[in-house]
Amino acid sequence: MKTAEELQSIREKMKPKIDKHPTEETRIVVGMATCGIAAGAEPVYEMLKQEIKRHNLKNITVTKTGCIGVCRLEPIVEVYAPGQEKVTYVKMTPKRALRVVTEHLVNKNIVTRYTVGAAD
């Protein structure tokens, strides 16, 4: 790749593969870089998956990502719901993840005491 045009061409070709989540789908992203893993993100990730399955929630995916950028607040979980602003949960534990599924995903009430604004 030598020009901006080549980069734009690659971007356009890859866009359908990157934008594969339908707009009606809620995405939950768990920070799983070394800082997140060291802080306990793996059990949080597993609890989220388990509880979403237990509640038989549809159109929700749970994925892992790298560093979200605020190591002191790990484990971090971000919820992207269609038509809503992203919600960032911090200092998560499996018990907190359980509550987020029940309150936020099932009952549609954000658990504000676990959000990034409440943690500062």
Side-chain angles (χ1 to χ4, degrees):
M1 170 177 38
K2 296 180 181 181
T3 66
E5 290 78 21
E6 286 179 86
L7 179 61
Q8 183 64 28
S9 173
I10 292 168
R11 181 181 184 276
E12 292 303 318
K13 190 184 314 180
M14 296 305 293
K15 191 171 181 175
K17 294 179 181 180
I18 294 169
D19 295 338
K20 63 184 178 186
H21 294 287
T23 56
E24 66 276 357
E25 182 176 72
T26 296
R27 287 185 309 127
I28 300 171
V29 180
V30 181
M32 296 286 284
T34 53
C35 52
I37 293 168
E42 188 68 40
V44 170
Y45 173 81
E46 293 301 327
M47 178 63 77
L48 288 166
K49 287 181 60 170
Q50 174 186 317
E51 285 301 299
I52 288 166
K53 184 176 181 178
R54 187 175 74 81
H55 285 278
N56 198 29
L57 299 174
K58 304 295 181 197
N59 294 321
I60 297 177
T61 59
V62 182
T63 60
K64 299 176 182 181
T65 192
C67 183
I68 294 176
V70 194
C71 299
R72 68 183 176 83
L73 298 177
E74 292 286 356
I76 298 174
V77 173
E78 296 179 324
V79 178
Y80 297 86
Q84 299 175 11
E85 287 190 39
K86 171 184 72 172
V87 177
T88 302
Y89 290 108
V90 296
K91 298 182 180 178
M92 292 298 289
T93 64
K95 186 176 179 180
R96 286 180 171 200
L98 179 79
R99 183 160 179 211
V100 166
V101 171
T102 303
E103 292 297 319
H104 188 156
L105 302 176
V106 174
N107 296 326
K108 309 296 185 211
N109 296 314
I110 296 170
V111 187
T112 55
R113 68 187 290 190
Y114 301 157
T115 59
V116 71
D120 290 333

